């Protein structure tokens, strides 16, 4: 069983963290992963940095640019993760734009992920339709989950379609926006979370984009199976460093 | 071989819609409706009427006598520089604003490089009384100052894109982010035949008026509906797509696409996508793309802001790979020289983008009885500072 | 009452050729030949062909929907801003360069205020491969920098006139002096309906294509060949003459001429010739003229370089005195505001000269079923700096 | 008999001087006239300054502008000349552009000239045709001569026409140019002077424009009845002042 599914079995509400590999420092990937696991985080999304991250807000853009400037590459990341499963047992998801993956070679990329022990991929600019038609087969071959996004604007029929062919979880974008921390969720958000919860989808949902603190995390997970924190974590990391990670996680739950 | 888009949004291997889910509703709404709307009688009538009454179409197909004499061949200029706002770009923005209205949108965003598309977008928004936000790379804001001023006069908000190379690519990223953030009431008017399907096809259709007119005008002037060569510069490729459109399947017509070599193809400062690019994904479309081995998009360079883009539209990638079109790249210096030559031989100051196309005359030999149509895609008013600096005309 | 020139070169009391003997051979040669040449089939064919193929005529007669709605009347814009080089001026320079060629001249001089006439002259000289010298007031060289750059790109020599107010009047003096010094091979392309006979009539004839097209277009759009009002700004008066031409004798057409009030008619900084001028002689023609009691020509003032002239053409002086036309003067501030209004309501950034004309909408009341034709004489690209400064758009 | 005709009777070769009234100083008109007469000058053209002297080169333009700035007006000049004939007996010609004369009132202007004792007018922008048709009558009424220009480009027939209705003299512009001193006359000039001389016109000709020194004066008067010096005199005046005028005249002949 995929570690993602196992985790959902074990936990009522997941806390997942996103960071851009290679930022703040090129060699921070491992220390960050260890610190996150040790702090009780349930799952991690490792960002493969991209020059033109068009679904991301300023914080992740900046961390991405910085990581590239530090020398991060696909090859380098795989090197860093080579023996990751010696230490890390929580599910790991790679999050990256499609072009670098294409250039690496999609099959080669999937193969590598499997060999390392990556559990799944989130590719924001690979829509489910194209995935389904052209790439699913390869992903399946290497036992990689591919997770897809839904937003407040995603039509109901499409949500059901996504649900029907998803594995792992559905990445529920909290509001129509690029990534970026928000301080509060309002009634619109709650209504949307409720609406999706009421759809009783078969794939669990995790809320992402805009969770920044305990209150937004709580609100997000009231109706879903978990929350992903990205920008807020990256900002914290930049300010307080890897050693302070447990502090951040404790502030969330 | 088929050169038009297929049902799935591909030109051969290229195209598609590689977009974040957040854009799905908007792009899908457009995909489902663009043909039906743009083929409707009421749309066609309104589109055609604005092209005629407002843009000033048809633009002349001008026989360049002095140039023809010098190069001993028959040279025609399709005068898109005479369009309202000074370039072909407005053909597309007129089409898209009508599309946006029919889709019930009340806010427009756009990216711009040279500023021509930004001005053309701001213009149609003013015409329709619709809010308008233009993204422009902060470097381009500097080097195309007159167009920035025009956008502001027209009431548009100009937002600087400060990431990456601070040029067109980055402005496009910012526009896409805006669209993600404003998914309901906003239409994104893309300015070239790039972006996710159906944009490349939609924009090419709106621009195809260029070749439709060219056919009619050639019939009158040369007694046949097609030239021997069509030549256009390619940034994203919209003016080229417009000129090629009705000739794509006519194999008697030789298609020449001119890219910006910048400081030279091997200089590391170039925008010659076909020479330097590999298959990849940019702004939602699979196409040829300048990138590192690792798949990071390269910062392109050209002296002309409108060609300073690391990709080309998927139609052009297909024309290149299928060898239907001949791709030539022209360095800054030669383009600039042609800007001056065209000014002083024909009294037409071209946009620097446009000037690239003409440099083909020094690269390729044409025969005396051949008919060549150049797309005179835009006028050079926006580039005066660059010309003046370059030629020390002050 | 007759509104066209008479055999002696007069419009009523105004006109004639008050020129130094040194200019006699040139002016006389022109006088004797201009009608015969311009009415010859070969000239008409070449003129018409260049207007169509090169200038981009006919220019649209655009129905301004939003403006019409706001002012509850029918407003049409004759889109001279879409002409190659951006204003009506090129109609005249095309005509005159063909005239100059037929007169065997191989050097061209011209004066320019806003630079539009200078650019239009440099353009036709480049087109024909003829040497070109443009005189421009040194103040105008500063405030119309883009046009100076364009003239240089086109290969013209721009010479600064540094006397007097350093504007159009002084540039004209310098051009006349050049002509005196180069009497044999040089043709002087005057840029408006001013100067000694036959210039006012010749220029008006070349510009009359504006009203000829308007007639045909109105017939199609409004089912009658004439509007209720024609409105144009008047510097020297060429765009106005062009628009009025075929309506002069049709008394159902109300003619409105708009002058630049500058900082206000009584401010001492104005260019409202009809209000402030008296009969006098300027640049070879008897006309209305701003001058001291002593007959010294006054330095005019307008924010728009193209209206910054102390006289008007003799045709306009006659239209004023005979009351055939209604003269209105508009201060800088209102003209500037209208530049912005037209930009933001119709997506057309007008020249500041042009913007003056539209301000009539705030001064006069029109009826809902009246048809008004504004001459949109030029585009505002040359004026961007002035607009930006004025509206603090930066 | 008009003083101009008398002078031509008396002199083989005339020397005539032009200056702009009111320049260098507003009140210089009288002193200059006296100095010129005392130096043996045969005739003087008094320039009525104009804001837009389009037939004049830089020197006369500048003196004109300066005169206006000094406060010179038509009225003022007439005041200065009011009793001129008490002292000055050589012919005096007013030279001015047409507009200031029109504004003064043409008849009134002529009347005033007559009463002062002005002998004639040169109005460069009043062509002979218009003069003939509209204004000659008034000029004649007040016994004012009006002198006209010919240039190297003036057609022969027109020269004959001008000759036929001229009185006083024909102002023979030395070359196609605005006013302004030249250092030498060449073969072209000489040919032109000869050509006109050979026409045996009934009105005497004086050469103007471009005479600056003894040699150009000599060349000009070899084939004509006199020479007019303008720009060169004005330049001298500006540099050396009214007191030095005799020096200048001596340098010419
Ligand atoms: C005049 C002109 N030509 C060409 C281009 C390049 O765009 P495209 O390749 O889409 O025609 C631009 C872009 O701004 C332009 O302004
Ligand atoms: C756009 C425009 N309109 C009007 C004018 C005024 O000239 P005219 O009165 O001869 O039309 C000018 C002069 O440069 C101009 O550029």
């Amino acid at each position: 069983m995929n570690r993602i599914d196992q985790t959902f079995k074990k936990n009522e509400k997941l806390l997942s963290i996103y960071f851009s590999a290679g930022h703040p420092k090129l060699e921070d990937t491992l220390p960050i992963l260890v610190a996150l696991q040790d702090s009780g985080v349930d799952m991690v999304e490792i960002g493969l940095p991209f020059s033109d991250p068009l679904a991301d807000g300023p914080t992740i853009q900046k961390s991405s640019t910085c990581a590239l400037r530090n020398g991060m590459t696909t090859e380098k990341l795989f090197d860093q993760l080579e023996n990751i499963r010696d230490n890390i047992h929580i599910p790991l998801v790679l999050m990256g734009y499609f072009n670098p993956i294409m250039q690496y070679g999609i099959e080669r990329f999937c193969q590598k992920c499997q060999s390392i022990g990556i559990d799944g991929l989130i590719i924001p600019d690979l829509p489910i339709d194209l995935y389904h038609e052209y790439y699913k087969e390869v992903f399946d071959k290497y036992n990689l989950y591919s997770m897809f996004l839904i937003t407040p604007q995603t039509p109901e029929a499409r949500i059901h379609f996504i649900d029907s062919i998803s594995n792992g979880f559905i990445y529920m974008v909290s509001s129509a926006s690029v990534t970026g921390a928000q301080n509060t969720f309002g009634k619109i958000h709650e209504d949307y979370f409720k609406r999706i919860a009421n759809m009783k989808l078969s794939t669990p949902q995790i809320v992402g984009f805009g969770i920044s603190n305990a209150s937004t995390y709580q609100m997000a997970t009231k109706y879903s199976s978990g929350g992903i924190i990205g920008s807020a974590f990256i900002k914290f990391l930049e300010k307080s460093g890897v050693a302070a990670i447990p502090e951040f996680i404790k502030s969330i739950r | 071989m088929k050169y038009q888009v297929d049902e799935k949004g591909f030109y051969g291997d290229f195209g598609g819609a590689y977009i974040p889910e957040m854009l799905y509703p908007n792009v899908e709404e457009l995909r489902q409706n663009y043909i039906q709307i743009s083929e409707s009688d009421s749309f066609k009538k309104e589109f055609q009427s604005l092209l005629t009454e407002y843009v000033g179409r048809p633009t002349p197909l001008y026989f360049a006598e002095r140039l023809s004499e010098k190069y001993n061949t028959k040279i025609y200029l399709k005068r898109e520089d005479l369009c309202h706002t000074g370039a072909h770009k407005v053909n597309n923005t007129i089409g898209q604003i009508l599309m946006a209205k029919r889709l019930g949108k009340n806010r427009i965003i756009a990216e711009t490089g040279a500023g021509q598309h930004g001005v053309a977008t701001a213009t149609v928004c003013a015409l329709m009384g619709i809010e308008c936000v233009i993204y422009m790379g902060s470097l381009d804001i500097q080097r195309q100052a007159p167009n920035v001023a025009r956008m502001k006069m027209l009431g548009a908000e100009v937002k600087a894109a400060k990431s990456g190379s601070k040029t067109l690519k980055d402005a496009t990223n910012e526009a896409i982010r805006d669209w993600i953030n404003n998914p309901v009431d906003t239409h994104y008017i893309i300015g070239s035949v790039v972006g996710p399907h159906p944009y490349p096809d939609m924009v090419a259709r709106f621009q195809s008026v260029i070749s439709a007119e060219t056919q009619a005008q050639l019939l009158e002037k040369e007694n046949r509906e097609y030239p021997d060569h069509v030549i256009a510069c390619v940034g994203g490729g919209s003016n080229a797509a417009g000129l090629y459109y009705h000739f794509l399947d006519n194999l008697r017509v030789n298609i020449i696409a001119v890219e910006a070599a910048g400081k030279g193809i091997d200089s590391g400062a170039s925008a010659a996508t076909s020479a330097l690019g590999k298959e990849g994904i940019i702004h939602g479309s699979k196409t040829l793309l300048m990138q590192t081995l690792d798949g990071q998009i390269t910062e392109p360079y050209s002296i002309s802001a409108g060609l300073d883009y690391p990709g080309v539209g998927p139609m052009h990638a297909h024309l290149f790979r299928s060898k239907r079109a001949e791709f030539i790249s022209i360095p800054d210096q030669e383009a600039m020289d042609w800007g001056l030559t065209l000014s002083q031989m024909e009294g037409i100051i071209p946009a620097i983008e446009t000037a690239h196309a003409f440099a083909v005359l020094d690269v390729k030999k044409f025969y005396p009885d051949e008919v060549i149509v150049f797309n005179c895609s835009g006028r050079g008013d926006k580039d005066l500072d660059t010309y003046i600096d370059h030629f020390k005309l002050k």
Side-chain angles (χ1 to χ4, degrees), chain A, chain B:
Chain A
M1 193 195 249
N2 187 302
R3 284 183 205 88
I4 299 175
D5 295 335
Q6 285 172 7
T7 302
F8 276 103
K9 278 256 166 75
K10 273 205 315 249
N11 299 276
E12 267 280 286
K13 304 290 177 191
L14 260 65
L15 173 62
S16 181
I17 296 290
Y18 168 93
F19 73 97
S20 298
H23 171 261
K25 302 227 195 62
L26 180 61
E27 298 298 346
D28 279 345
T29 316
L30 244 80
I32 291 173
L33 284 172
V34 170
L36 287 173
Q37 174 169 281
D38 292 353
S39 310
V41 160
D42 303 303
M43 179 162 72
V44 179
E45 275 120 45
I46 307 171
L48 177 61
F50 182 49
S51 55
D52 294 77
L54 46 75
D56 288 302
T59 304
I60 297 187
Q61 277 177 57
K62 252 176 42 195
S63 69
S64 219
T65 307
C66 170
L68 290 172
R69 224 175 271 140
N70 288 344
M72 183 48 74
T73 64
T74 312
E75 205 73 71
K76 178 82 200 166
L77 179 58
F78 283 144
D79 284 354
Q80 291 180 345
L81 298 178
E82 189 66 42
N83 300 309
I84 194 69
R85 285 307 175 192
D86 295 352
N87 303 307
I88 303 292
H89 53 82
I90 57 175
L92 295 177
V93 171
L94 283 192
M95 190 154 179
Y97 288 81
F98 195 41
N99 195 53
I101 298 173
M102 247 180 90
Q103 302 311 317
Y104 194 88
I106 291 161
E107 174 137 15
R108 190 173 153 235
F109 191 91
C110 290
Q111 202 170 15
K112 190 78 193 179
C113 283
Q114 186 189 41
S115 82
I116 286 173
I118 296 296
D119 303 290
L121 295 169
I122 301 176
I123 307 172
D125 60 343
L126 179 61
I128 192 160
D129 324 75
L130 285 164
Y131 167 77
H132 193 54
E133 185 160 357
Y134 299 109
Y135 307 106
K136 184 172 189 312
E137 221 173 297
V138 195
F139 279 59
D140 285 349
K141 180 167 161 200
Y142 297 98
N143 255 314
L144 282 173
Y145 279 11
S146 182
M147 268 66 66
F148 293 94
L149 277 52
I150 64 172
T151 81
Q153 275 68 45
T154 310
E156 210 173 298
R158 184 165 172 87
I159 295 179
H160 283 299
F161 168 64
I162 291 174
D163 185 35
S164 75
I165 63 170
S166 279
N167 40 28
F169 58 89
I170 288 173
Y171 193 130
M172 204 173 139
V173 176
S174 68
S175 57
S177 91
V178 293
T179 57
Q182 283 180 256
N183 279 328
T184 51
F185 286 138
K187 176 151 171 21
I188 310 183
H189 298 96
E190 190 166 1
D191 289 350
Y192 160 57
F193 298 156
K194 266 195 226 166
R195 172 165 63 83
I196 302 298
N198 286 337
M199 286 178 77
K200 311 266 177 238
L201 303 177
S202 56
T203 321
Q205 305 102 53
I206 312 194
V207 173
F209 290 35
I211 302 180
S212 62
N213 51 26
S215 93
T216 42
Y217 175 73
Q218 258 155 34
M219 160 76 101
T221 51
K222 193 164 158 196
Y223 303 96
S224 77
S225 309
I228 305 174
I229 302 182
S231 299
F233 177 70
I234 288 170
K235 271 189 201 154
F236 176 87
L237 201 54
E238 222 160 31
K239 222 177 66 190
S240 311
V242 176
I245 287 178
E247 197 182 302
F248 179 81
I249 302 301
K250 252 178 248 141
S251 78
I252 303 298
R253 68 166 185 195
Chain B
M1 181 66 78
K2 196 172 163 311
Y3 300 105
Q4 293 290 7
V5 78
D6 66 21
E7 322 69 52
K8 292 187 172 161
F10 282 86
Y11 298 85
D13 297 334
F14 303 105
Y18 293 80
I19 49 165
E21 185 63 29
M22 294 80 103
L23 293 180
Y24 177 84
N26 276 324
V27 172
E28 181 61 12
E29 178 185 31
L30 198 60
R31 189 187 69 76
Q32 283 180 7
N33 293 292
Y34 82 108
I35 291 191
Q36 184 199 322
I37 289 177
S38 63
E39 292 296 316
S40 72
D41 284 345
S42 86
F43 183 97
K44 283 205 275 197
K45 203 173 136 205
E46 202 175 345
F47 183 49
Q48 192 49 60
S49 151
L50 281 172
L51 289 184
T52 307
E53 308 289 329
Y54 185 69
V55 173
R57 305 204 69 92
T59 60
L61 184 69
Y62 165 69
F63 180 68
E65 202 170 304
R66 294 185 67 200
L67 219 52
S68 296
E69 206 168 282
K70 176 159 179 202
Y71 288 91
N72 194 22
T73 185
K74 290 198 211 166
I75 298 174
Y76 285 94
L77 273 51
K78 184 61 177 159
R79 297 290 305 278
E80 295 302 299
D81 62 303
L82 292 177
C83 289
H84 181 46
T85 70
H88 66 290
K89 297 280 179 189
V90 73
N91 302 324
N92 169 44
T93 61
I94 294 269
Q96 287 205 46
I97 198 77
L98 295 179
M99 185 67 66
K101 274 178 67 180
R102 280 165 171 75
L103 294 173
K105 308 292 177 175
N106 57 28
R107 180 174 174 270
I108 295 294
I109 55 171
E111 88 294 343
T112 196
Q116 284 303 127
H117 175 59
V119 169
T121 302
T123 295
V124 297
C125 289
L127 182 65
M128 301 298 175
I130 293 181
E131 185 189 342
C132 179
V133 177
I134 306 289
Y135 292 91
M136 187 168 190
S138 53
L139 176 65
D140 291 341
I141 285 182
Q142 279 169 35
R143 62 178 164 170
Q144 307 277 245
N147 276 344
V148 177
R150 291 165 85 198
M151 289 183 262
K152 290 180 179 172
M153 271 298 282
L154 293 159
E157 185 184 351
V158 180
K159 288 195 180 170
K162 292 177 183 149
S163 59
S165 53
K166 304 175 175 50
T167 61
L168 182 52
K169 160 175 88 69
D170 313 287
T172 309
N173 291 338
E174 284 307 319
I176 291 176
R177 288 184 190 115
D178 181 309
W179 210 17
I180 289 175
N181 289 334
N182 296 282
V184 179
D185 58 352
T186 296
H187 175 71
Y188 176 19
I189 300 191
I190 295 186
S192 192
V193 288
V194 300
H197 178 69
Y199 276 102
D201 184 46
M202 179 172 70
V203 175
R205 282 166 184 259
F206 290 146
Q207 292 291 1
S208 71
V209 63
I210 298 172
S211 60
E213 287 176 7
T214 301
Q215 285 182 311
Q217 289 164 327
L218 279 177
L219 192 60
E220 200 183 290
K221 288 173 209 290
E222 292 288 338
N223 225 356
R224 55 172 160 123
E225 261 198 342
Y226 62 94
D228 296 299
H229 306 271
V230 284
I231 305 181
C233 68
V234 173
S238 66
N239 87 84
L243 179 64
Y244 305 163
Y245 200 87
H246 293 287
F247 304 120
L248 286 170
D249 295 320
N250 182 345
L251 299 182
R252 287 169 300 190
V253 180
N254 183 40
I255 295 178
I256 300 177
V258 184
E259 294 182 321
K263 296 185 177 157
I265 290 204
D266 302 320
S267 68
S270 176
T273 304
S274 69
L276 299 169
K278 280 193 316 166
E279 195 170 316
I281 308 272
I282 182 171
H283 299 140
S285 157
K286 193 196 279 185
T287 186
L288 291 175
L289 175 58
M290 288 167 53
Q291 51 183 312
T292 64
L293 284 175
D294 208 38
Q296 307 299 340
I297 300 178
T298 308
E299 323 264 273
Y301 166 81
S302 164
I303 195 168
S304 75
L307 303 182
D308 201 353
Y309 185 70
V312 284
M315 175 203 273
H316 297 288
H318 181 50
L319 292 176
F320 175 73
R321 181 163 291 175
S322 67
K323 299 201 163 53
R324 174 68 186 94
E326 183 175 352
F327 277 67
I328 291 175
S329 60
I330 298 293
D332 287 353
Q333 179 62 49
E334 287 167 41
M336 294 300 284
D337 287 347
W338 265 94
L340 200 62
T341 301
L342 201 65
S343 300
Q344 302 195 348
M345 283 192 69
E346 297 291 347
I348 297 168
I349 306 174
I352 301 176
E353 290 79 8
T354 309
H356 281 77
F358 287 91
V360 166
L361 286 170
D362 290 327
V363 171
K364 257 184 92 79
K365 179 96 196 79
F366 299 96
Y367 295 101
D369 57 349
E370 284 191 311
V371 172
I372 310 171
V373 176
F374 281 94
N375 204 355
C376 194
S377 60
R379 62 184 190 227
D381 295 37
K382 67 185 182 62
D383 296 315
L384 287 171
D385 287 346
T386 312
Y387 278 130
I388 294 291
D389 281 359
H390 186 87
F391 293 113
K392 315 232 173 314
L393 291 177
K394 229 168 214 154

